[in-house]
Amino acid sequence: MTLNRVTPVGDTQDPQATPGSWFGNWRVILWAKKQWLLPIMALAAIVRFYDLTAAAIWGDEGSSLLLARYSLGGIWNHAAFDVHPPLYFMLLHGWIELFGDGIFAIRCLSALLGIAVVGAGVWLVDRLATRRAAIIAGVLLALLPTAVRYSQEVRMYSLLGLLLIAASLALVYWIRHAQRRRYRVFYVLLMSAALYTHYFAVLAALSHWIYLGVIRTQRGYRFRHIQQLPWWLANLAIAGLYLPWLPKLLNLMQHMEQLKAAGDVGWEDPVSLTSLPAMIWSWLIQDDGANLPLLVFIAMPMALLVLAGVALARDRSVSRGSVLLALYTGLPLLLVFAVSFITPVFIERYLTAFALGLPMLAALAIDRLYSRVRSLALAVLVSLVGVELIGVNNNATVDSNDQLDHMVSYVNQHFQPGDGIVISDMLWYLSYVYYDQTGAQVRLYTPPRADGHSTRPNEYGFGTLVTPGVYLDSLAELTGYRRVWLVGTLDEPGEFLPLPATWQVGAEVRAGGAQARLFVVKPAVE
């Protein structure tokens, strides 16, 4: 008796095609498993492009745009008087040539670099540990609030993070394949580019040296790369590539007092013992945690320290990748903290590139906990993601209707030929000129101090971006104007006092912590 297959109503599929369809479905599953990185990159893109243009350009971003307007030679020369090297501004110059200087276009460069950072971090952890650890690191990197924030600014911090993580990756590849010269070449180029992006890149190089020293002295299998000629030659090559910039760096260091006088370094408040945990909180929730209960304030940094200890203690790999990540994150954090007791430079954005090591180190710990105490590992992961989501939400809470650009737009709309515009502060000036469409020369108010000393910036720091004709020492110098716009800080109404007696307020607009007041100049009564 032959049993025939019963075909359900509506099932017109050829029985002979069933094996092929199963094979096709299996191929889809295999393809999906290979695309595990795509959801992580999509998450990184979503949080970085969300509200990318909501916040107005602020002073530091404005300085980037002013510097990028110069030719490449001009950028090289002016960056020599700035507090940052020239590479990012050169890249921004080329980016603007291609895509224009609209706010989405200029911030898009940092956002794309920030997304690439996540990919590089995942790649690095995938080389150091398991695929599971790489996926965890990807999620935590994608949501890391400090990385998200500075992926949305027209500054060099995303570029620096990408170069340093990529250089660390090249170092790992070279350790494992010392005979392959290309990895040393990649390391040299990436570290050189990082040093041309931010001076703090030297701290990453220092962490690499110490890491090689640690794995040279560990018990069991010892890596001798630190004493091999190729490593020394690679670092000599980095020094050689940096030589053209070295005289400019030395000149800048000789004039640090002028930079301090201009307010471009040392403007941060002195650090205290609470500054260290506050920095960790800033990385995670974009708030220094000062309003948190003391136990909570201390608990999170201590928990992360314990996670770092777990990652280090449970590391059974030959190359000790957890040591690399611990040094990459911890060494710059502690060194800059210590130096800041002398010269305050403990600034979140300067350390964001090193904060990237924190989620990668946590991922290693969670991965190693998972194999022993799965519930604890999942609880730690969920807690970290929850904390990061708080920070991502804090990043996104921007009132786009209360931004500087709305105030400047009002001035642009109500400006009349012959009006004067005066800004009270350098940072306001740097952002204001980006939005200005009047064609007038915007002046920067620099009244002398009570002792007669000038308040004009010197040629270092932001001062290198402003020509002397922009400065205005006295409102009495504004002759021939029928109307004058005074733009200043909202909570400092007296910064332009005393006003000429013939000036009368005609209009006022406030937004983004600034105010613009229109004064009508009345003829003097004789």
Side-chain angles (χ1 to χ4, degrees):
M1 182 177 181
T2 302
L3 294 177
N4 294 324
R5 176 180 181 269
V6 178
T7 303
V9 177
D11 184 359
T12 59
Q13 184 177 2
D14 183 355
Q16 299 300 322
T18 301
S21 65
W22 278 107
F23 179 71
N25 290 338
W26 182 245
R27 289 180 62 185
V28 170
I29 294 172
L30 287 176
W31 178 86
K33 289 181 69 176
K34 292 179 180 179
Q35 308 308 314
W36 58 272
L37 184 59
L38 290 181
I40 293 173
M41 300 303 287
L43 177 63
I46 289 169
V47 296
R48 282 157 180 77
F49 278 103
Y50 179 77
D51 263 1
L52 184 63
T53 62
I57 295 294
W58 73 290
D60 277 15
E61 292 181 289
S63 71
S64 296
L65 294 167
L66 285 179
L67 193 48
R69 290 179 182 178
Y70 291 100
S71 65
L72 294 183
I75 292 172
W76 179 271
N77 290 326
H78 282 279
F81 293 89
D82 194 18
V83 293
H84 299 299
L87 180 60
Y88 171 77
F89 308 112
M90 292 179 169
L91 291 178
L92 181 61
H93 173 88
W95 185 268
I96 291 173
E97 288 288 324
L98 290 173
F99 302 106
D101 63 353
I103 188 169
F104 179 82
I106 56 179
R107 283 186 174 159
C108 191
L109 173 60
S110 292
L112 292 174
L113 290 169
I115 296 167
V117 166
V118 175
V122 171
W123 189 357
L124 176 57
V125 175
D126 198 41
R127 296 300 91 195
L128 297 176
T130 66
R131 178 61 51 83
R132 182 173 59 211
I135 293 173
I136 295 171
V139 173
L140 295 177
L141 278 169
L143 295 175
L144 183 64
T146 189
V148 174
R149 174 179 178 178
Y150 293 107
S151 294
Q152 296 182 321
E153 288 199 359
V154 190
R155 294 297 276 173
M156 71 290 296
Y157 306 111
S158 287
L159 174 62
L160 178 66
L162 178 60
L163 292 171
L164 293 182
I165 296 299
S168 300
L169 181 61
L171 179 65
V172 169
Y173 269 97
W174 175 64
I175 288 171
R176 297 183 179 182
H177 308 282
Q179 72 281 6
R180 296 185 182 178
R181 184 182 302 175
R182 65 175 179 269
Y183 297 129
R184 294 198 306 274
V185 173
F186 289 150
Y187 181 81
V188 168
L189 295 177
L190 290 165
M191 280 306 305
S192 298
L195 288 167
Y196 273 102
T197 300
H198 199 283
Y199 295 120
F200 276 21
V202 70
L203 299 175
L206 179 60
S207 71
H208 292 162
W209 274 90
I210 296 176
Y211 166 65
L212 290 180
V214 170
I215 61 175
R216 169 64 182 85
T217 59
Q218 68 180 334
R219 294 180 179 179
Y221 191 86
R222 298 182 180 181
F223 291 91
R224 293 176 168 80
H225 296 70
I226 194 171
Q227 65 193 62
Q228 292 177 359
L229 182 60
W231 172 248
W232 289 85
L233 291 177
N235 282 273
L236 284 175
I238 294 171
L241 290 172
Y242 200 68
L243 275 178
W245 188 253
L246 187 59
K248 298 184 181 297
L249 172 59
L250 295 175
N251 178 67
L252 191 67
M253 293 175 66
Q254 291 174 358
H255 293 85
M256 286 298 290
E257 290 302 320
Q258 289 176 273
L259 277 167
K260 290 180 180 179
D264 289 291
V265 295
W267 48 267
E268 279 281 294
D269 293 331
V271 295
S272 65
L273 293 179
T274 61
S275 299
L276 197 56
M279 179 63 73
I280 303 298
W281 279 109
S282 295
W283 285 352
L284 293 177
I285 65 169
Q286 292 300 280
D287 185 283
D288 63 7
N291 296 323
L292 295 172
L294 181 61
L295 288 179
V296 177
F297 180 72
I298 299 298
M300 176 59 74
M302 291 301 298
L304 292 172
L305 186 61
V306 170
L307 281 179
V310 170
L312 291 167
R314 301 296 301 170
D315 191 346
R316 299 293 183 264
S317 64
V318 176
S319 59
R320 299 284 180 176
S322 57
V323 175
L324 172 61
L325 294 178
L327 286 169
Y328 176 85
T329 302
L331 183 67
L333 179 68
L334 294 176
L335 281 179
V336 176
F337 175 64
V339 169
S340 293
F341 281 96
I342 303 171
T343 299
V345 287
F346 201 55
I347 303 167
E348 180 196 353
R349 55 185 178 272
Y350 289 1
L351 293 166
T352 289
F354 304 104
L356 297 169
L358 191 62
M360 291 189 279
L361 195 60
L364 295 184
I366 293 170
D367 178 50
R368 285 153 190 168
L369 282 174
Y370 189 84
S371 61
R372 287 178 168 258
V373 191
R374 183 171 299 186
S375 58
L376 177 60
L378 292 175
V380 171
L381 175 59
V382 170
S383 299
L384 281 177
V385 170
V387 170
E388 288 190 333
L389 286 174
I390 293 172
V392 170
N393 181 67
N394 289 340
N395 274 332
T397 53
V398 175
D399 184 355
S400 58
N401 294 316
D402 186 22
Q403 298 292 309
L404 177 73
D405 56 320
H406 285 261
M407 183 265 288
V408 184
S409 177
Y410 179 90
V411 177
N412 289 337
Q413 293 171 10
H414 296 85
F415 183 88
Q416 295 180 7
D419 285 2
I421 303 175
V422 183
I423 314 292
S424 67
D425 181 82
M426 174 65 85
L427 285 175
W428 289 125
Y429 173 85
L430 293 171
S431 52
Y432 187 100
V433 294
Y434 171 75
Y435 294 105
D436 177 58
Q437 297 177 358
T438 63
Q441 184 183 47
V442 180
R443 307 292 296 275
L444 179 60
Y445 189 50
T446 53
R449 296 191 182 95
D451 59 6
H453 285 85
S454 175
T455 60
R456 291 188 179 190
N458 54 55
E459 60 183 338
Y460 290 89
F462 292 148
T464 190
L465 304 174
V466 181
T467 59
V470 168
Y471 300 126
L472 179 71
D473 292 341
S474 171
L475 296 179
E477 298 176 18
L478 293 172
T479 59
Y481 291 98
R482 292 183 300 139
R483 307 194 319 168
V484 176
W485 296 87
L486 297 184
V487 180
T489 307
L490 186 59
D491 56 2
E492 296 182 19
E495 57 194 345
F496 286 107
L497 297 179
L499 297 174
T502 58
W503 288 18
Q504 296 181 0
V505 178
E508 182 175 322
V509 60
R510 300 177 178 184
Q515 65 175 351
R517 291 177 293 168
L518 173 63
F519 288 88
V520 179
V521 181
K522 298 295 184 180
V525 179
E526 297 183 1

